[in-house]
Amino acid sequence: MSNAAMNAPVNAPVSAAAEPRVRFENVVVEFPTAQGPMRVLDGLSLDICQGEFVSIIGPSGCGKTTLMNMLAGFLQPTRGRVLLDGKEVSGPGPDRGVIFQEYGVFPWLTVRQNIAFGLRLASNKTPRPEHAAVVERYMRLMGLADFADHFPKHLSGGMRQRLALARAYAVRPEFLLMDEPFGALDAQTRTAMQDLLLEVLQAEGKTVMLITHSVDEAIYLSSRIVVVTARPARIRTVIEVPFGYPRGEAVHEDPRFAQLRAQIRELVMQEYAAQSKQQVRLSD
Ligand SMILES: Nc1ncnc2c1ncn2[C@@H]1O[C@H](COP(=O)(O)OP(=O)(O)OP(=O)(O)O)[C@@H](O)[C@H]1O
Ligand SMILES: [Mg+2]
């Protein structure tokens, strides 16, 4: 029995708390190609519980975005099921805030209008008189207040990425699905955005799925890290991160951080090596 379970009060609803909110059940995805179906996900199963922060790490092109797209409701599995609170995902919804790998902002709306967009949807719960204040707050937090009336094409790549974050956070979704959300940011902004995300989670208690290529970022933010194999993606290893929340910069100095980093890097390198062998075989 884990320490947490041993220390739980006798009447605590342990099983109810552990009920998964997200379930990938033997998920297979195949895409048609000229050479026949290409298998991208190969019977992948994963549960995510309320309040968990799960990072997915694996080689480029292995199927991570495909995995997230199914939970976001943009793609159906070829076989298997993706369940949200026990019901099969049938399309996108306001409960899931998605931050796309390529920013996902509307080019025809200004910064202010982009952030306000989700708030205006009928499904959003934020009362109308509060909209302007919410938009101002997230523009300030993301350092975009001076660019409120600019269009995305006049922003830098990093600013567009911050705009995508502001837009997703502003509607306060229960789930955040983030696909390399900090990839285009400089090192300082990236750290600031990671800390801001931890603050948002602390205040609002969300369930998060994050795709990242940064091992340090995964350890710093997550409660669990899922290392996936080269394509077709299967789960290689699931690693429990031993640090609790609230979490701060000090965890970087913890000797367990360096051990985890070495362990995960080794696994990811092995999967990249497996992938390059496959590519050599394909080109033979
Ligand atoms: N709609 C689609 N039709 C056909 N093939 C697709 C489609 N979407 C993705 N693929 C292919 O599936 C594979 C996995 O793509 P995916 O975007 O999930 O990878 P990824 O793990 O997110 O990679 P990266 O780390 O580079 O973002 C790739 O070979 C990609 O070309
Ligand atoms: Mg991707």
Side-chain angles (χ1 to χ4, degrees), residues 106-133:
F106 295 129
W108 61 89
L109 298 180
T110 65
V111 165
R112 190 196 303 279
Q113 290 164 340
N114 258 291
I115 302 175
F117 176 82
L119 298 174
R120 298 232 172 85
L121 296 178
S123 50
N124 187 261
K125 295 175 287 274
T126 313
R128 199 166 174 91
E130 292 173 22
H131 286 191

Side-chain angles (χ1 to χ4, degrees), residues 99-107 109 111 114-115 142-144 147 150-168 181-182 184-185 189 193:
I99 296 158
F100 296 95
Q101 194 166 1
E102 305 88 7
Y103 314 129
V105 297
F106 295 129
L109 298 180
V111 165
N114 258 291
I115 302 175
M142 298 294 167
L144 294 169
F147 299 87
H150 284 53
F151 288 94
K153 67 177 174 196
H154 295 135
L155 302 176
S156 70
M159 289 163 86
R160 277 201 292 273
Q161 203 159 34
R162 282 182 273 145
L163 175 57
L165 290 167
R167 219 179 69 166
F182 308 130
L185 303 174
T189 312
M193 289 294 128

